[in-house]
Structures are given as structure tokens and as C-alpha cells.
Amino acid sequence: MYIQTSGNNTFENKILDQKIEVNDILSVKIGSLNSESSNVYNIDAMGSGTTTVGTVDVNIALKNYLVNNEGLIILPVLGNIKVSDKTTSELEKFLTKKLIDEGHLLEPTVSVRILNSKVTILGEVRSPGTYSFPEKNITLLQALGLAGDLTINGVREDILLIRQDANGKTINHINLTKKDWMNTDLYYIKQNDVIVVNPNNAKIKSAGIIGNAGALISVISILLTVIVLFKK
């Protein structure tokens, strides 16, 4: 059961425009009224075919911009651009102003997207793993849907959401049977969030947690993963 409540409820959630981070892959498209003038500001889409390494399409990485450890990308003509700690909207406005103020283009248009947004979902879901999503924003419930929803043995009253922010990693506890979390910034998933769904007591008992080494290792593995992620 999810969100047990009565009557009609309206929730106001601000759509997240998350900050760009190191290792993000950005699509930056620059256009203008004169397409020939603006072409030189874009990576030439050369080559064909794709190769996948892990969850990243190498073709995507090569034809776009990987944010380096200094939070920079290198754009044709414009050179090094500091992008970390800016949102995609802020970067669009920054580049548009730069192109106009420095006399590069007349009436430029700039579009910026993060291409490798992903969330990791562990524990009592049907298909645990790391999932990429093309949308700018997805909700916590949509993320759980990517993993096939919780199993019948998942603890809905205490979902763990591990999130990295400017102050480090935080572990947030969410009760999916309540509605209060829907009015917080936990409603929308952020890049690199980790969701952990722990097994309920019935699953632990039926697995013979004390006498079953495999079940014990599985539970310990989840707990250790949370601890390691939190300490990084």
C-alpha cells in the first residue's frame, strides 16, 4: 500500500533544476539565425555506430562534453567554461550572455541537457540496479517503477534515500504510506541518488537469517553498501 490518505490532496512541488557536477555528460547546442555562423560552436557530429561501456554510450560521451575534475568543459571557440555548481538553466543564460557580450553571435540560442542522469536502486525491488533516465526530472515513485516496484517483502515505511549535496552525503528516511514527504525535496530524484529498500521481518524470518548464510550475506551486503556510500 502506498500513501494512505483520505479526501483530495494537492501538493506543490518545485521542479528541480539540479546543479551540474563533475563527471556529468552535457549536451550543449548553440544556434543562431545564421546556422553557418553557429556551427563552429558545436561539436561536429562525426562518426557512426555506438559502443557501450557500463551504462554510458561512448558515442554520447564523444559527441558531447564530460565535466572534468575542475568542473570545466571545453567548448569550440569559447574554450574552458566553468559549469559545475550551475544549473542547466543558469548555464544556458551564462552562455547566451557571453555569446552576445563578446560579439560572437546575433540572437543566439543555447540548449543544455545532462545526458547521463542515473539512480541506483537496491534491496527488495524486482530488478535492482543502476538506471539512466533521459527526463530532466523523475519522482521517487517513478524511480521505483524503473526497478519494477517493491516486492511484497519490501519495507514501505522506511525507504532509504542516500543523496550527495554540497555538505556531503545524507541518508533520508521516507515512509511511502504517508504523504508528508511529497512536499519536500525528496519527491524528485537527483542525479546519483541511491535508493535502498530493506526486507521486512517476514522475509528475514522466512529466509532463515540465522541459519542461512546466503540470506545473512545478502542483508549484510546491503547494510555495508549503505555505510560505504555514506562515508565516501
Side-chain angles (χ1 to χ4, degrees), residues 26 52 55 103 136 149 155 198 211 217:
L26 301 182
T52 299
T55 59
K136 190 172 184 178
D149 200 3
V155 178
N198 287 313
I217 291 172

Side-chain angles (χ1 to χ4, degrees), residues 53-115:
V53 177
T55 59
V56 177
D57 185 326
V58 173
N59 224 25
I60 290 177
L62 292 175
K63 293 181 179 180
N64 294 282
Y65 304 93
L66 177 66
V67 182
N68 67 20
N69 290 334
E70 284 73 46
L72 303 172
I73 61 173
I74 303 175
L75 293 177
V77 182
L78 299 178
N80 288 327
I81 301 293
K82 181 75 170 179
V83 298
S84 61
D85 293 329
K86 290 183 175 70
T87 67
T88 54
S89 296
E90 289 169 346
L91 181 56
E92 288 172 347
K93 293 175 183 177
F94 172 82
L95 291 176
T96 299
K97 186 175 186 301
K98 183 177 180 67
L99 290 165
I100 294 173
D101 291 350
E102 296 181 3
H104 293 280
L105 295 170
L106 293 175
E107 299 185 37
T109 59
V110 180
S111 173
V112 178
R113 287 188 62 192
I114 299 174
L115 298 180

Side-chain angles (χ1 to χ4, degrees), residues 2 5 19 27 33 36-37 49 58 66 71 78 84 93 115 121 125 133 146 171 175-176 198 216 218 220 224 231:
Y2 294 100
T5 183
K19 300 288 186 180
S27 166
L33 294 177
E36 291 184 1
S37 298
V58 173
L66 177 66
L78 299 178
S84 61
K93 293 175 183 177
L115 298 180
I121 307 169
V125 291
F133 54 93
L146 294 175
I171 295 182
N175 184 344
L176 291 182
N198 287 313
L216 179 60
S218 177
I220 292 175
L224 288 176
K231 287 186 176 181

